[in-house]
Amino acid sequence: MITYTNISQGLKKIQEKFPYKRAVVYPAGRDKKGRVLYSQLTFNQLEAESDKLAFGLERIGIIRGTRTILMVPPGMEFFIIIFAMLKVGAVPVVVDPGMGIERMLQCLEQGKPKAFIGIEKAHFLRKIKPKFFKSVKHWVTVGKRWFWGGYTLDQLMIQTCDPYPKAKTTSDETAVIAFTTGSTGPAKGVVYTHGNFEAQIKQIQEHFQIDSDEIDLPTFPLFALFDPILGMTAVIPDMDPTKPARVNPVKIIEAIENHGITNMFASPALLNRVGKFGKKNHIKLPTLRRVISAGAPVTPANIEQFSTMLSDHAQIHTPYGATEAVPIISIGSNEILSETKTLSEQGYGMCIGRPICDTMVKLIKISDDPVTQLHDRLDVPENQVGEIIVQADLVTRHYFNNREADLQAKIPDSHGKFWHRMGDLGWMDSKGRIWFCGRKTHRVITLDETLFTIPVEAIFNNHKTVFRSALAGVGPKNIQTPVVFIEPYSKIKDKKIFIKELLELAKSNPLTKNIDHIFIEKEFPVDIRHNSKIFREKLAVKAKKILKL
């Protein structure tokens, strides 16, 4: 039976319910006294403007199924364009700019796009690197069109009051292709269907109990897309979304106070920077009902620090997931700080909580090979570390034109369902909670044991001078030498004494007793998007040169 759904229908429902509520708010400058000036769209305006653009896109040949590169930063135009595209059934190809120019261009070429919608800078890029855009037939500039052809966004805004007849897309029809930052190798294009998005929005709404009066500060652009469909006002923050670790805390706090923000999504790096500033300056943010932090493991210390700004009824939620499946597991700060924090510091792993709503989670035997069929023999017993796999309606089923990636990441079961391999390791306790132990590719296999990053690093992170640590393996697989890199809070005066203290700490714990090599690193290599995912592979290469292994 075919199920028809178009995710843009969610915007129409909210527009009918709250026509004059603000949908998007954007900082447009400052007045003479330094106060922020804001531009805004109501739900009525967003629905009408995206209808006008939908007519225009259809007129030039951007229609149902047209893969279209979208290179527009968060703002008014972004929301109008994305909903217009969804209405006509075109497929936005979204690439994370945080992965760097060369990798981004490779992803754009891999997406085999037929259309390109971008700001002026994006068009300059495609003129400099034309070979990556050979498949593109339709060009649209957001802003001024300079020496290149195509249309401007303004030219495509058809002046009509008629509602656009939305494409009758099916639940398994592609809605968006998202290329996001991978730690190594080429990024994969995650195929979101309209059904995936519908399930995702339902799960977010139900689990976080989002009300109709909410105002969101989405510091991660992709999550801003959900706000209008959830009925939340999206206040776009004044920040560079590719550099959350360098965000100006004053501007984030200013936006929260100016608009009475009730919900905020923040990467761990942004959470740490704003929380540190807020705690130091005794700032309180009483309007916040919840903070959602994801993208990398969120340490209890980070949560504790930011919580000093929150009221007693507010919580920090740390949902677990990946681009292919999010959110699937979650836990709140009350449970973390009162119960799991102490165990995490002892090396039990990071408690990420219980499965959300109808999500099914399993732990299977760790393997680097494809799994062609799910069966009970793969299950691991309670308290044993295994590979995390998930199944839910929001979980994406395949990658774009990447059969090899599908074989590695997707597992069919006997009921015709597909499970996604998260690439992460963890164990389940007697309360049904999952404890995250690190990435599968980051585990270190020695002659005598297997070491997992999160439990091992927790032991070193207990040292008062350590900001964060990173376990890496050097040498051939299965006979690796474990090494630990340390990023201190500040410059170390006597490195020999510091390393001696850390080695003594290591020898005092059974998890780390076999670690003999510790190196100090001024600043870890991390992903640009979240500034939280440590590139342990790069550290391993550095250790190999030092140890000459």
Side-chain angles (χ1 to χ4, degrees):
M1 180 179 171
I2 298 174
T3 305
Y4 295 100
T5 183
N6 187 307
I7 199 63
S8 67
Q9 290 170 340
L11 173 62
K12 181 64 179 173
K13 289 176 183 176
I14 295 298
Q15 178 260 331
E16 289 173 345
K17 198 172 182 181
F18 307 107
Y20 305 109
K21 181 181 176 181
R22 297 176 305 162
V24 186
V25 179
Y26 186 78
R30 291 181 182 268
D31 65 15
K32 291 179 181 179
K33 294 189 176 182
R35 292 170 297 211
V36 187
L37 300 172
Y38 292 98
S39 180
Q40 66 181 45
L41 285 173
T42 64
F43 281 102
N44 254 354
Q45 290 171 315
L46 180 56
E47 175 70 6
E49 293 291 292
S50 56
D51 274 345
K52 291 175 185 177
L53 181 56
F55 280 111
L57 293 175
E58 184 182 56
R59 191 187 73 186
I60 66 166
I62 299 178
I63 56 175
R64 183 171 176 177
T66 304
R67 289 189 295 277
T68 306
I69 294 170
L70 183 60
M71 296 186 73
V72 179
M76 302 299 186
E77 290 84 4
F78 173 82
F79 283 92
I80 293 168
I81 294 166
I82 199 87
F83 280 104
M85 291 179 71
L86 292 169
K87 286 176 180 182
V88 301
V91 179
V93 178
V94 183
V95 178
D96 185 350
M99 67 177 65
I101 296 293
E102 288 304 317
R103 290 182 73 196
M104 182 174 70
L105 288 168
Q106 289 166 9
C107 291
L108 294 175
E109 184 180 34
Q110 187 184 330
K112 293 183 171 58
K114 297 297 181 186
F116 181 107
I117 302 175
I119 57 174
E120 294 159 20
K121 281 183 182 178
H123 283 274
F124 275 113
L125 176 64
R126 61 99 167 172
K127 293 301 287 184
I128 295 168
K129 304 276 189 178
K131 71 172 185 177
F132 294 98
F133 304 95
K134 288 179 181 177
S135 62
V136 177
K137 306 297 181 188
H138 310 286
W139 307 94
V140 179
T141 304
V142 179
K144 184 178 179 181
R145 187 183 61 206
W146 291 75
F147 51 85
W148 50 80
Y151 299 86
T152 65
L153 190 69
D154 290 341
Q155 288 175 328
L156 299 185
M157 299 298 289
I158 304 300
Q159 296 309 308
T160 176
C161 295
D162 295 336
Y164 182 84
K166 298 175 183 65
K168 202 175 180 183
T169 48
T170 61
S171 60
D172 61 354
E173 191 168 333
T174 302
V176 173
I177 299 172
F179 288 89
T180 57
T181 311
S183 57
T184 56
K188 299 181 287 290
V190 179
V191 175
Y192 278 97
T193 65
H194 285 271
N196 290 146
F197 271 131
E198 191 173 60
Q200 206 169 21
I201 287 161
K202 182 182 177 184
Q203 192 131 306
I204 291 169
Q205 183 106 48
E206 286 183 11
H207 179 73
F208 296 112
Q209 298 181 330
I210 293 171
D211 292 329
S212 59
D213 63 340
E214 302 242 15
I215 304 169
D216 185 35
L217 188 71
T219 64
F220 181 48
L222 204 57
F223 277 83
L225 170 63
F226 297 124
D227 286 350
I229 304 172
L230 288 164
M232 286 200 286
T233 299
V235 177
I236 307 303
D238 183 4
M239 63 174 284
D240 181 347
T242 66
K243 297 176 181 176
R246 297 179 186 176
V247 71
N248 184 341
V250 174
K251 290 183 177 180
I252 298 298
I253 291 165
E254 179 182 51
I256 294 170
E257 293 177 336
N258 283 356
H259 298 278
I261 299 294
T262 63
N263 183 84
M264 180 174 81
F265 180 91
S267 73
L270 186 143
L271 200 73
N272 182 55
R273 189 165 173 86
V274 177
K276 186 177 182 180
F277 178 87
K279 184 177 181 181
K280 182 180 177 181
N281 293 281
H282 308 290
I283 291 168
K284 297 294 179 183
L285 302 171
T287 65
L288 277 176
R289 300 176 192 174
R290 77 186 71 74
V291 176
I292 300 169
S293 188
V298 193
T299 65
N302 195 352
I303 290 167
E304 198 166 34
Q305 178 178 256
F306 197 93
S307 293
T308 61
M309 293 193 289
L310 302 178
S311 58
D312 292 340
H313 67 268
Q315 278 205 78
I316 298 172
H317 299 266
T318 59
Y320 165 82
T323 306
E324 299 89 338
V326 62
I328 52 171
I329 301 170
S330 188
I331 188 172
S333 52
N334 288 352
E335 190 171 2
I336 292 170
L337 298 179
S338 66
E339 189 175 342
T340 68
K341 173 179 179 286
T342 305
L343 296 173
S344 290
E345 291 169 350
Q346 293 172 17
Y348 282 77
M350 194 81 69
C351 186
I352 53 177
R354 299 169 182 83
I356 297 172
C357 302
D358 298 327
T359 302
M360 291 189 286
V361 177
K362 278 180 173 285
L363 295 170
I364 62 171
K365 293 174 183 175
I366 302 169
S367 171
D368 295 316
D369 300 320
V371 179
T372 56
Q373 184 72 43
L374 189 67
H375 49 77
D376 293 343
R377 296 189 302 278
L378 292 172
D379 293 351
V380 298
E382 190 178 285
N383 298 328
Q384 184 176 316
V385 175
E387 185 179 340
I388 303 171
I389 65 170
V390 299
Q391 198 275 312
D393 288 340
L394 60 76
V395 177
T396 58
R397 288 191 59 165
H398 64 94
Y399 297 100
F400 181 72
N401 281 356
N402 198 330
R403 177 64 178 155
E404 185 180 341
D406 289 342
L407 286 170
Q408 285 289 343
K410 308 298 179 181
I411 308 175
D413 65 16
S414 57
H415 303 291
K417 299 280 188 180
F418 278 84
W419 292 70
H420 177 70
R421 302 172 77 175
M422 297 298 291
D424 290 330
L425 305 176
W427 61 278
M428 183 182 290
D429 66 17
S430 58
K431 295 182 178 180
R433 298 177 302 196
I434 306 294
W435 293 71
F436 172 68
C437 294
R439 294 290 291 166
K440 181 172 65 174
T441 54
H442 292 158
R443 73 192 191 279
V444 176
I445 307 172
T446 73
L447 273 172
D448 305 310
E449 61 184 341
T450 299
L451 300 174
F452 306 110
T453 53
I454 300 301
V456 165
E457 290 161 7
I459 306 305
F460 294 97
N461 293 345
N462 287 327
H463 193 287
K464 65 179 186 295
T465 313
V466 174
F467 169 49
R468 55 186 171 186
S469 58
L471 170 71
V474 180
K477 189 178 178 181
N478 299 328
I479 53 169
Q480 291 178 301
T481 299
V483 300
V484 169
F485 281 82
I486 302 293
E487 183 181 335
Y489 280 106
S490 55
K491 190 175 180 181
I492 303 299
K493 292 181 180 178
D494 193 324
K495 289 185 178 180
K496 286 185 178 179
I497 292 176
F498 183 49
I499 289 174
K500 185 183 177 184
E501 288 176 3
L502 291 170
L503 285 170
E504 287 173 356
L505 181 63
K507 299 304 173 188
S508 68
N509 193 291
L511 280 175
T512 53
K513 65 181 183 346
N514 293 324
I515 293 173
D516 300 314
H517 304 286
I518 296 176
F519 305 108
I520 311 301
E521 193 76 4
K522 182 181 178 182
E523 194 173 55
F524 283 171
V526 294
D527 69 295
I528 298 174
R529 165 61 68 210
H530 295 290
N531 292 143
S532 303
K533 295 177 181 176
I534 302 166
F535 291 150
R536 292 172 176 81
E537 297 86 356
K538 293 182 179 180
L539 294 174
V541 171
K542 190 168 187 176
K544 185 177 181 180
K545 290 179 180 177
I546 297 170
L547 296 175
K548 297 178 181 179
L549 291 174

